[in-house]
């Protein structure tokens, strides 16, 4: 058939062989490129904020105000990527390669439709949403200037995540890493040129981001449709629309997107409490400190992406022992990075905070960001238990469980404890940081416990299924 995988290339098949083989090798070989990609993306977000910080606290606060709104776009794109990789990995695990091809093609169509709707709705509603941020008029205008431009790249961002989901689903995490690396470095290079050389201010940062997204789209378009270097064969020849495939992508992708959106809603509330405690300075402090903490969390997300793919393939192959082993091994692997990052941040808070206070207009941020980092770094060690268990839920198609646990972590626990510390105990910004840490730790314990119970149920279900077959 025209739509069969390009299986004649044995080198490319090694990705699939890895996915179906030793889970320890699969977790490491898929995690490391994902972690590097996420680290580079985090660095680019950090550098973006550092350059904007030079314009003053209001500009950095404006970027911080838009960030939770933009996280909705990122969340939807991430949902498409995770839903795609999960659906493809499960079909590859079951050796249904033609079905995996069809998932890839449906994912691209879904990405284009969602991207168009996101652009229109985002631009039209931005000003209205920003009115509820409790920030100054200057900061809100900066956020609007920045966000209106960023929304123009929504279709391209959706396509990029769909394409990356396709590649990761077939066990290829290296090429997505290279593309993210190139795009992020390009963004970092363009930032000072557009912000200061072209004197575009915060709008220059937005255009630098858009250009890097467009370039990544061009590379991924060539790779999927023209290079013949992927295992799956995305051609749309003989394509037939299948609503069940959209459902299969969405059953994991939609809860994943909602879970990510709850994170953006939580950050919106946390920005509110930070603003309540210290005005624009509080929002700018949270924006800067959180970008640094994300150096740890987003690398863990890189491991979570690998867990989704590996456990999805194990689930498709009905190998629950491999599924359980992959989750536990990944958690141990991620903990080394989480603890190492925590210690690095804790002992170097001042040098890290200096990145956001190098200009005269932003010098007030030095002590505030430094104090925030000393507490927020405690957020990291508990994160792998919750985040990687959520990745396992996504891999086996239980996206709703990932959604529930994320809501517990962000909206319920983090916002609740922050409210208690800020409004109840009047602890100011310190209350915001403590609320985040305690909320995350509590939710991680609950999520991991739920994950263990889910695995036990899978063991029981497959044991009963095997017993029924043997009796027949």
């Amino acid at each position: 058939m025209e739509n069969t995988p390009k299986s004649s290339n044995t080198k490319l098949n090694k990705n699939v062989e890895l996915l179906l083989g030793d889970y320890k090798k699969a977790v490491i070989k898929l995690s490391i490129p994902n972690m590097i990609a996420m680290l580079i993306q985090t660095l680019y977000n950090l550098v973006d904020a550092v350059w904007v910080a030079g314009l003053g606290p209001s500009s950095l606060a404006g970027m911080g105000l838009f960030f939770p709104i933009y996280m909705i776009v990122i969340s939807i794109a991430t949902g498409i990527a995770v839903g795609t990789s999960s659906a493809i990995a499960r079909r590859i695990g079951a050796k249904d390669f033609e079905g995996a091809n069809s998932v890839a093609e449906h994912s691209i169509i879904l990405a284009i439709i969602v991207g168009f709707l996101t652009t229109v709705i985002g631009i039209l509603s931005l000003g209205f949403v920003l009115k509820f941020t409790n920030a100054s008029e200057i900061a809100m205008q900066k956020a609007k200037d920045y966000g209106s431009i960023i929304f123009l790249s929504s279709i391209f961002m959706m396509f990029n995540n769909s394409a990356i989901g396709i590649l990761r689903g077939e066990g290829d995490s290296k090429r997505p890493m290279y593309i993210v690396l190139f795009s992020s470095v390009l963004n970092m290079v363009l930032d000072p040129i557009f912000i200061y050389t072209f004197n575009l201010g915060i709008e220059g940062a937005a255009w630098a981001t858009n250009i890097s997204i467009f370039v990544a789209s061009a590379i991924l378009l060539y790779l999927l449709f023209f290079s013949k270097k992927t295992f799956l064969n995305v051609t749309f020849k003989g394509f037939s629309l299948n609503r069940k495939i959209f459902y299969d992508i969405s059953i994991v992708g939609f809860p994943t997107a909602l879970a990510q959106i709850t994170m953006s809603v939580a950050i919106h509330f946390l920005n509110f409490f930070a603003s309540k405690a210290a005005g624009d300075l509080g929002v700018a402090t949270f924006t800067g400190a959180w970008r640094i903490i994300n150096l740890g969390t987003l690398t863990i997300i890189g491991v979570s992406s690998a867990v989704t793919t590996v456990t999805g393939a194990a689930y498709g192959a009905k190998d629950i022992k491999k599924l359980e082993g992959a989750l536990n091994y990944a958690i141990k692997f991620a903990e080394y990075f989480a603890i190492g990052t925590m210690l690095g941040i804790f002992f170097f808070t001042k040098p890290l905070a200096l990145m956001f206070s190098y200009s005269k207009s932003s010098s007030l941020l030095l002590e505030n960001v430094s104090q925030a980092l000393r507490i927020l770094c405690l957020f990291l060690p508990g994160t792998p238990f919750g985040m990687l268990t959520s990745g396992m839920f996504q891999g086996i198609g239980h996206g709703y469980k990932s959604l529930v646990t994320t809501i517990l972590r962000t909206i319920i626990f983090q916002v609740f404890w922050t409210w208690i510390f800020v409004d109840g105990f009047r602890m100011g910004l310190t209350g915001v940081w403590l609320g985040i840490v305690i909320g995350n730790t509590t939710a991680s314990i609950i999520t991991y416990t739920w994950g263990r119970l889910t695995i036990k149920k899978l063991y029981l279900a497959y044991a009963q299924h095997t017993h029924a077959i043997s009796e027949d």
Side-chain angles (χ1 to χ4, degrees), residues 304-383:
S304 180
S305 297
V307 169
T308 296
T309 304
V310 176
T311 57
Y315 183 77
K318 300 182 179 179
D319 189 344
I320 308 306
K321 185 176 181 180
K322 178 180 177 180
L323 187 156
E324 181 184 26
L327 174 62
N328 290 334
Y329 184 76
I331 289 174
K332 292 177 184 178
F333 179 68
E335 274 298 328
Y336 289 114
F337 292 92
I339 293 172
T341 305
M342 178 195 71
L343 293 174
I345 292 173
F346 185 82
F347 288 112
F348 296 97
T349 55
K350 281 289 176 67
L352 290 169
L354 191 61
M355 291 189 293
F356 297 96
S357 54
Y358 59 89
S359 69
K360 185 178 180 180
S361 58
S362 60
S363 58
L364 291 174
L365 290 172
L366 179 61
E367 193 58 38
N368 281 275
V369 173
S370 180
Q371 289 176 356
L373 289 175
R374 289 192 189 99
I375 299 173
L376 284 175
C377 68
L378 302 175
F379 172 95
L380 296 171
T383 300

Side-chain angles (χ1 to χ4, degrees), residues 75-311:
S75 300
I76 297 170
T78 301
I80 292 174
V82 173
T84 299
S85 62
S86 174
I88 288 175
R90 279 182 273 123
R91 282 165 175 76
I92 287 177
K95 295 184 171 58
D96 178 13
F97 301 132
E98 185 177 345
N101 275 321
S102 188
V103 170
E105 293 167 350
H106 280 77
S107 173
I108 292 172
I109 292 173
L110 181 63
I112 293 171
I113 294 172
V114 172
F116 175 76
L117 293 174
T118 301
T119 300
V120 174
I121 295 172
I123 291 175
L124 292 178
S125 64
L126 181 57
F128 174 77
V129 174
L130 287 171
K131 290 180 180 178
F132 296 93
T133 59
N134 197 40
S136 68
E137 287 292 333
I138 296 175
M140 281 194 288
Q141 186 58 49
K142 295 288 185 182
K144 189 174 182 180
D145 293 342
Y146 179 77
S148 297
I149 297 170
I150 290 290
F151 271 125
L152 296 175
S153 63
S154 295
I155 292 177
F156 298 92
M157 170 176 280
M158 297 298 169
F159 169 76
N160 291 356
N161 278 267
S162 170
I164 287 173
I166 292 168
L167 294 173
R168 287 177 175 166
E170 66 175 43
D172 181 1
S173 59
K174 287 186 178 179
R175 274 189 284 252
M177 176 192 70
Y178 295 140
I179 293 167
V180 169
L181 174 62
F182 178 77
S183 174
S184 299
V185 170
L186 177 63
N187 195 341
M188 287 186 273
V189 170
L190 293 178
D191 262 337
I193 297 173
F194 279 81
I195 294 172
Y196 297 107
T197 304
F198 294 163
N199 200 29
L200 294 176
I202 195 170
E203 295 176 62
W207 281 115
T209 297
N210 280 3
I211 291 171
S212 68
I213 291 173
F214 299 154
V215 171
S217 295
I219 297 171
L220 286 163
L221 188 68
Y222 169 78
L223 183 61
L224 287 180
F225 290 95
F226 303 105
S227 71
K228 298 182 179 180
K229 292 181 179 180
T230 58
F231 178 74
L232 297 179
N233 191 17
V234 186
T235 64
F236 287 94
K237 292 179 181 179
F239 174 78
S240 178
L241 193 66
N242 188 334
R243 292 181 181 178
K244 290 183 179 179
I245 295 179
F246 280 134
Y247 176 80
D248 198 15
I249 295 172
S250 301
I251 198 67
V252 173
F254 183 66
T256 300
L258 282 179
Q260 296 272 354
I261 288 171
T262 64
M263 294 170 64
S264 105
V265 172
I267 289 179
H268 182 80
F269 280 114
L270 293 172
N271 269 330
F272 173 83
F273 284 117
S275 178
K276 190 174 184 179
D280 283 357
L281 181 62
V283 177
T285 300
F286 178 52
T287 300
W290 197 243
R291 294 293 172 99
I292 294 172
I293 295 299
N294 276 342
L295 288 170
T297 58
L298 291 182
T299 51
I300 298 170
I301 290 175
V303 183
S304 180
S305 297
V307 169
T308 296
T309 304
V310 176
T311 57

Side-chain angles (χ1 to χ4, degrees), residues 44 67 121 137 167 185 219 224 227 284 379 407 419 430 441 445 447 455 470:
Y44 123 66
F67 184 66
I121 295 172
E137 287 292 333
L167 294 173
V185 170
I219 297 171
L224 287 180
S227 71
F379 172 95
I407 291 174
W419 172 67
T430 300
T441 302
I445 293 171
T447 303
I455 291 172
S470 64

